[in-house]
Amino acid sequence: MQENNRKPIYVTQPSLPPLNEYISMLEGVWERGILTHNGPLVQQLEKDLIKYLGIKNLVAVTSGTIALQLAIRALNLEGEIITTPFTWIATASAIMWEKCKPVFVDVQPDTFNIDPNKIEEKITDSTSAILPVHVFSNPCDIEAIQEIADKHKLKVIYDAAHAMCVEYNGKSLLEYGDISATSFHATKIFQSGEGGACVTTDNHISDRLRRLRFFGHDDNKDIVDEGMNGKMTEIHAALGLSSLKWLNNVLRDRRDKYELYVDLLSKSSKIKFQRFPPESYNYSYMPVLLEDENHLHAVLNHLNKHNIYPRRYFYPALNTVEAVTTADSFPVADDLASRILCLPLFYTLKKKDIEHICTLIINS
Ligand code: T4K
């Protein structure tokens, strides 16, 4: 077969449950006629995820972006929020939609996470919170961040969009900070099509998040808070519930494939990997750092010619994006953004595809 006749290989594909399992859940939705407003499947999904992750509270919402916005609102944040420029635009746009100002702090070159040593110099009288990102599920330096937050009386929200199913020091990574906001988007390790959740150990914050996602209603439908519409639908919850049954298989599969990539690509001294604690990582992405931007373009073009489409997550670094640009410099984030590539990694990707991709990369 000609190379360009091969089926395209994208950076990811959703881990879909067997269609009949999803359909049988939908049959119940059709019978009940309840599509939204905290229906039984949303409640079931929340309950099952709480059990699966071993956590105290989880509030399911429409996306990871809305989870971030609700978290900011639930903590009454205002003024400046310290975050990282090496992330998806949603981290910064959620802050701005909540009328706060993102203030960037550069990242560490090996973990890709916010550098705690550079946080304090950015704290001002207007700072209300730190909003770090567990990049590609790699846990941030939680202890150092919490120490700074405590010292300056700041809240901590983790952008945990990538960080489902990661254990850190014996508990879910999602239970650190005041609130973690995660994503169930189609491209994430656990998916409900679109979706996300806020996780907190504080019952009062959890109750408030529930009100905020539902127009500010309390249980009697009185309007007691300034809410919005962040409710997950039964259709999405059904997809989440049927996907959850297969999640352990997905997690195992990704780890094996990640390790195969590392094994094959380590033959090249030009390719480097993210540093992370293997016991606290979910292998949801396959990031590689190339030598420089020229090397990146050579690899990208070569792969694209063979119908393979990795993605530049995260490019550009947010400090260079017009809506949030700042005069400060972020050399580490700029450098990472210029030469990082996330390679295809998903359940139906074959071992021989990975071998093919690695051969192409090494020969670029
Ligand atoms: N914080 C962080 C750190 C994040 O990374 C994100 C989102 C958020 C917050 C916000 O969470 P959400 O509000 O999205 O829940 C994707 C996702 O849209 C986005 O969720 C994700 N991060 C970001 C890193 O990546 P794109 O623009 O790369 O998606 P797209 O459409 O190019 O898809 C990539 C590949 O995936 C396609 O080539 C094919 C495949 N694909 C995609 C979709 C949507 C499928 O096979 N099926 C699908 O349904 O953004």
Side-chain angles (χ1 to χ4, degrees):
M1 204 203 299
Q2 288 278 310
E3 279 284 10
N4 53 11
N5 286 340
R6 286 169 84 111
K7 244 179 105 182
I9 299 179
Y10 297 111
V11 65
T12 192
Q13 274 187 359
S15 307
L16 288 169
L19 185 57
N20 59 335
E21 294 185 12
Y22 182 51
I23 288 173
S24 69
M25 291 235 169
L26 290 183
E27 281 166 357
V29 177
W30 257 242
E31 274 163 30
R32 286 184 294 275
I34 301 290
L35 298 186
T36 184
H37 288 195
N38 204 23
L41 295 186
V42 169
Q43 291 181 38
Q44 189 66 44
L45 180 64
E46 290 180 340
K47 217 165 109 201
D48 288 2
L49 283 172
I50 284 172
K51 187 160 174 228
Y52 181 81
L53 298 168
I55 58 177
K56 201 167 164 190
N57 297 296
L58 180 142
V59 181
V61 297
T62 43
S63 71
T65 307
I66 291 296
L68 283 169
Q69 285 187 235
L70 286 168
I72 292 168
R73 189 62 71 101
L75 298 175
N76 297 320
L77 300 184
E78 48 187 25
E80 296 174 358
I81 298 181
I82 288 181
T83 189
T84 155
F86 189 67
T87 180
W88 189 247
I89 184 65
T91 315
S93 58
I95 293 174
M96 292 188 297
W97 271 60
E98 291 307 317
K99 305 278 178 271
C100 296
K101 181 180 175 210
V103 172
F104 294 129
V105 165
D106 210 353
V107 291
Q108 297 169 319
D110 50 357
T111 68
F112 310 167
N113 287 333
I114 197 165
D115 187 341
N117 294 320
K118 296 180 179 160
I119 291 179
E120 280 196 287
E121 66 200 52
K122 293 287 177 80
I123 294 175
T124 70
D125 291 345
S126 304
T127 309
S128 60
I130 311 173
L131 200 161
V133 181
H134 301 302
V135 176
F136 308 135
S137 87
N138 196 14
C140 292
D141 189 340
I142 302 232
E143 291 78 15
I145 291 167
Q146 197 57 54
E147 202 179 310
I148 296 166
D150 291 344
K151 183 172 157 195
H152 296 273
K153 300 195 171 28
L154 304 175
K155 301 289 185 192
V156 179
I157 296 174
Y158 281 106
D159 181 334
H162 308 168
M164 279 286 285
C165 312
V166 177
E167 290 262 313
Y168 182 79
N169 281 346
K171 66 173 190 176
S172 167
L173 183 58
L174 303 179
E175 286 211 320
Y176 292 89
D178 294 281
I179 304 177
S180 288
T182 192
S183 166
F184 305 156
H185 182 260
T187 55
K188 297 297 189 293
I189 197 149
F190 168 71
Q191 63 85 25
S192 60
E194 289 277 1
C198 291
V199 172
T200 175
T201 54
D202 185 318
N203 292 343
H204 295 294
I205 295 177
S206 177
D207 290 346
R208 180 152 199 229
L209 285 161
R210 287 182 182 283
R211 292 193 296 271
L212 291 176
R213 78 170 169 184
F214 197 4
F215 305 122
H217 285 322
D218 65 7
D219 291 344
N220 301 321
K221 284 266 176 104
D222 290 331
I223 300 161
V224 294
D225 212 335
E226 201 184 313
M228 52 125 96
N229 185 353
K231 290 170 273 110
M232 179 179 271
T233 73
E234 292 288 279
I235 312 294
H236 292 88
L239 187 51
L241 278 167
S242 36
S243 301
L244 186 57
K245 281 174 62 184
W246 298 88
L247 187 52
N248 284 346
N249 291 7
V250 169
L251 290 165
R252 262 194 306 273
D253 175 75
R254 293 184 97 108
R255 185 182 186 129
D256 291 349
K257 283 174 179 158
Y258 188 104
E259 283 169 359
L260 177 61
Y261 264 120
V262 171
D263 197 33
L264 296 171
L265 291 175
S266 296
K267 291 179 187 130
S268 166
S269 59
K270 293 186 190 174
I271 296 162
K272 303 277 182 269
F273 306 94
Q274 184 182 25
R275 182 173 68 80
F276 57 84
E279 69 287 358
S280 294
Y281 197 70
N282 67 16
Y283 303 89
S284 50
Y285 290 83
M286 182 60 236
V288 290
L289 268 186
L290 301 164
E291 254 194 333
D292 53 32
E293 200 158 13
N294 289 336
H295 185 207
L296 176 132
H297 283 301
V299 169
L300 198 53
N301 291 340
H302 197 45
L303 290 174
N304 287 173
K305 271 192 205 133
H306 290 80
N307 232 352
I308 298 164
Y309 301 95
R311 287 295 296 269
R312 298 183 74 178
Y313 298 138
F314 299 110
Y315 173 84
L318 294 189
N319 51 287
T320 63
V321 172
E322 201 180 333
V324 275
T325 192
T326 102
D328 291 357
S329 67
F330 303 90
V332 182
D334 288 340
D335 176 54
L336 292 177
S338 73
R339 60 196 178 94
I340 196 160
L341 207 53
C342 284
L343 302 177
L345 184 60
F346 50 90
Y347 194 71
T348 49
L349 186 72
K350 305 263 185 314
K351 188 173 164 228
K352 69 173 175 31
D353 294 326
I354 296 178
E355 288 164 351
H356 178 57
I357 292 167
C358 292
T359 306
L360 291 172
I361 293 174
I362 287 176
N363 293 335
S364 295

